[in-house]
Amino acid sequence: MPKFAFFKGQLVPIEEAKVSIMTHALNYGTGCFEGIRAYWNEDRGQLFVFRMQEHYERLRQSTRILFIELTYTTEQLCQTTLELLRKEGYRQDTYIRPLVYMADETIGVRLHNLQPELAIFAVPFGRYIEKEEGAHAGVSSWRRTDDNVAPARAKITGAYINSGLAKTEAVRNGFDEAIVLTNDGHVSEGSAENLFIVRNGALITPPITENILEGITRQTIIQLARDEMSLQVIERPIDRTELYVADEAFFCGTGVQVALITRIDHRPVGTGQPGPIGKALRDVYFDVVRGKLPKYNSWCTPVSS
Ligand SMILES: Cc1ncc(COP(=O)(O)O)c(C=O)c1O
């Protein structure tokens, strides 16, 4: 359990960070959030927050879509997060959850005339899905929320019911994770992660117009694939059956990190074993997030000075 939280403008003991059952965001899902990871580097005795600035820029993007004026600068958000982590003193991998929520205790669904509040907490965190080296994914019967329904581009608390429905269906059906299609039947993403496939040596991922969250890990993987592995990366719509004939497939996201998919809908992906491209990208990703590749140190903010 965390010991502290940023709540109503200050760092407080976690027990004091409580909201009423009347809270607008609790009733109507009117909030937006981020998920940021910090990685412990044992050799350097240092916790590194990965791409913190980009996550807070995306939080700002979510607030814009929800008519919320975020009064904190990105620099203030980063400094507050570092202060919280220093107070917690974690020496292990950690997940940071910034949340902007409509704090009013009132009835009536809307986005205007409401008071947003910011909260941040951080918890020790390991794997998001157990089988990161070989997951079985199932195509969901639930479709991804459309940009004109509940925009996936924003990390909107209420919209995550779509992810919840897909995830629980997948797990109850014996899969590790869901793959969710758009309304017109193209591959969008996983329940809480972006998706890549490999065909003929090229890395392919749905473009940002396929109702995906514009993932920071997705962007990281695209850059690492091009710059570290000289791979061709193609952003284009993916048909469902391309999943069944792909040579490799993997999920990526802050939570899931890089999770290799070895089966989709009871069919082996490629050989049915973790593929070489996914494996290599996963390895380089973990080196980068732990601050082991100096070239990418600007992505890793040390918590202790
Ligand atoms: C729906 C969804 N897609 C993709 C991602 C991956 O995004 P990122 O890599 O920025 O964490 C997440 C997780 O944050 C997510 O919830």
Side-chain angles (χ1 to χ4, degrees):
M1 267 294 282
K3 294 196 285 292
F4 302 97
F6 183 80
F7 184 69
K8 296 198 170 160
Q10 50 185 331
L11 287 170
V12 298
I14 191 83
E15 307 78 46
E16 291 176 23
K18 296 270 195 301
V19 296
S20 156
I21 56 160
M22 284 183 66
T23 304
H24 199 272
L26 180 63
N27 285 263
Y28 299 117
T30 46
C32 56
F33 66 103
E34 268 305 318
I36 311 172
R37 267 193 192 259
Y39 285 90
W40 177 248
N41 181 318
E42 184 65 47
D43 296 339
R44 293 167 64 181
Q46 181 66 271
L47 191 65
F48 289 105
V49 190
F50 189 63
R51 302 197 77 169
M52 178 163 54
Q53 214 171 327
E54 289 89 334
H55 279 282
Y56 280 121
E57 287 303 330
R58 188 173 61 189
L59 183 67
R60 192 173 306 283
Q61 192 169 295
S62 295
T63 60
R64 286 170 73 102
I65 292 173
L66 295 184
F67 292 106
I68 294 172
E69 195 189 333
L70 192 58
T71 51
Y72 297 87
T73 64
T74 299
E75 178 57 24
Q76 285 171 328
L77 293 166
C78 290
Q79 286 309 324
T80 302
T81 303
L82 293 174
E83 228 179 287
L84 171 68
L85 290 171
R86 279 183 210 125
K87 242 171 132 63
E88 292 286 11
Y90 293 133
R91 295 171 66 86
Q92 59 190 307
D93 294 351
T94 301
Y95 189 83
I96 303 144
R97 166 54 48 80
L99 172 67
V100 178
Y101 63 99
M102 297 303 199
D104 304 67
E105 296 170 18
T106 183
I107 298 295
V109 65
R110 62 179 186 275
L111 291 172
H112 60 280
N113 295 343
L114 292 169
Q115 187 56 45
E117 283 284 352
L118 166 72
I120 311 175
F121 62 90
V123 289
F125 203 62
R127 290 186 171 208
Y128 182 75
I129 58 172
E130 239 356 270
K131 296 193 198 140
E132 269 186 18
E133 291 90 357
H136 188 183
V139 172
S140 184
S141 72
W142 297 95
R143 295 299 171 102
R144 190 75 176 115
T145 50
D146 188 80
D147 196 47
N148 292 293
V149 175
R153 177 165 291 105
K155 263 180 100 67
I156 300 169
T157 54
Y160 270 72
I161 201 64
N162 181 238
S163 298
L165 289 165
K167 177 76 181 194
T168 292
E169 178 193 59
V171 170
R172 295 239 160 117
N173 286 341
F175 299 110
D176 301 302
E177 188 49 271
I179 296 173
V180 188
L181 307 180
T182 61
N183 250 326
D184 67 2
H186 288 130
V187 174
S188 178
E189 58 179 346
S191 72
E193 53 278 308
N194 294 115
L195 180 123
F196 284 82
I197 61 171
V198 177
R199 295 193 70 186
N200 304 317
L203 211 50
I204 308 169
T205 196
I208 58 170
T209 46
E210 291 282 14
N211 295 321
I212 66 169
L213 180 75
E214 296 178 5
I216 290 158
T217 318
R218 173 184 178 277
Q219 207 47 53
T220 302
I221 291 293
I222 290 174
Q223 189 169 336
L224 294 176
R226 287 184 175 141
D227 294 355
E228 299 301 314
M229 294 173 61
S230 304
L231 289 172
Q232 186 190 9
V233 184
I234 307 165
E235 295 177 63
R236 66 154 175 81
I238 296 176
D239 275 346
R240 173 185 186 153
T241 51
E242 287 193 87
L243 298 170
Y244 304 154
V245 299
D247 303 317
E248 297 186 34
F250 60 88
F251 290 118
C252 73
T254 298
V256 83
Q257 309 182 102
V258 179
L260 309 177
I261 307 170
T262 47
R263 274 193 300 163
I264 299 177
D265 285 348
H266 308 282
R267 296 159 176 88
V269 176
T271 62
Q273 297 300 315
I277 291 177
K279 267 205 305 205
L281 273 168
R282 186 164 183 269
D283 288 347
V284 72
Y285 179 76
F286 280 121
D287 281 347
V288 167
V289 295
R290 281 193 203 286
K292 293 183 179 173
L293 284 190
K295 186 172 162 190
Y296 299 100
N297 273 359
S298 64
W299 285 347
C300 306
T301 309
V303 170
S304 314
S305 41

